[in-house]
Amino acid sequence: MFRSTAKACAAVGAALAMVLLGSPGIAKPVPYADPQVAWTGKNIHVSPDGNEAFIIGKYRCWGGRAGTHLWVSVKQGPGLSEPVHTASGDAQAWFDTNWNFENSEAGLTVNCNGHWHVTRYTLKREFGDLHDGTAYVQFCLFDHTGNEDNFPQGFAFNYSWKTVRVP
């Protein structure tokens, strides 16, 4: 008798906990918020062969992976200056992450689950060589809500000058 009463109480307790706390098998929707870029690393590290560069960045966004895009660009040269002269045509060297478009129609997609993510990104040469010194970094995050018609909705960025480190 005691065992069946204990089992019944345990079952009722578990059911009550599921009602009060929510079922662990059912995920609650995460409310939407604008994407955020917290920072990019202080240094851009160049690979020994000079064909790749690496930078870290911290971001968060909501809404899943589908429809997202992250683009990171590093440009270097004496013709660069904010706010007007930041295009690739103003640079002597340009590396970016869009080389991923070769492998996917979406390019570099990101995990938009509402958590902060710190990731190391690989940039490949578009043209020129990066040298020790300063470079202009564009870290651009697009979540699933942004598009050309509603820009800048769903967009976050960090534009800054960083130090290039060549081995």
Side-chain angles (χ1 to χ4, degrees), residues 107-155:
L108 184 58
T109 59
V110 291
N111 188 1
C112 288
N113 62 2
H115 298 285
W116 286 106
H117 296 273
V118 177
T119 305
R120 179 180 184 239
Y121 298 97
T122 301
L123 296 82
K124 293 191 178 180
R125 178 196 323 265
E126 293 290 338
F127 60 80
D129 294 318
L130 292 173
H131 302 282
D132 284 336
T134 58
Y136 189 64
V137 174
Q138 296 166 294
F139 190 98
C140 302
L141 172 63
F142 301 87
D143 72 14
H144 72 286
T145 67
N147 61 54
E148 291 178 14
D149 297 329
N150 66 7
F151 185 80
Q153 179 179 320
F155 174 67

Side-chain angles (χ1 to χ4, degrees), residues 4 14 36 59 72 90-91 94 96 103 110 119-120 131 135:
S4 47
Q36 300 171 352
Y59 76 91
V72 184
D90 299 316
W94 177 31
D96 77 352
N103 302 323
V110 291
T119 305
R120 179 180 184 239
H131 302 282

Side-chain angles (χ1 to χ4, degrees), residues 31-65:
Y32 176 79
D34 290 328
Q36 300 171 352
V37 176
W39 51 262
T40 56
K42 293 180 182 180
N43 298 303
I44 300 125
H45 295 277
V46 178
S47 65
D49 67 4
N51 290 320
E52 295 180 332
F54 310 95
I55 189 167
I56 59 172
K58 183 176 181 178
Y59 76 91
R60 75 174 167 179
C61 51
W62 290 259
R65 181 177 292 274

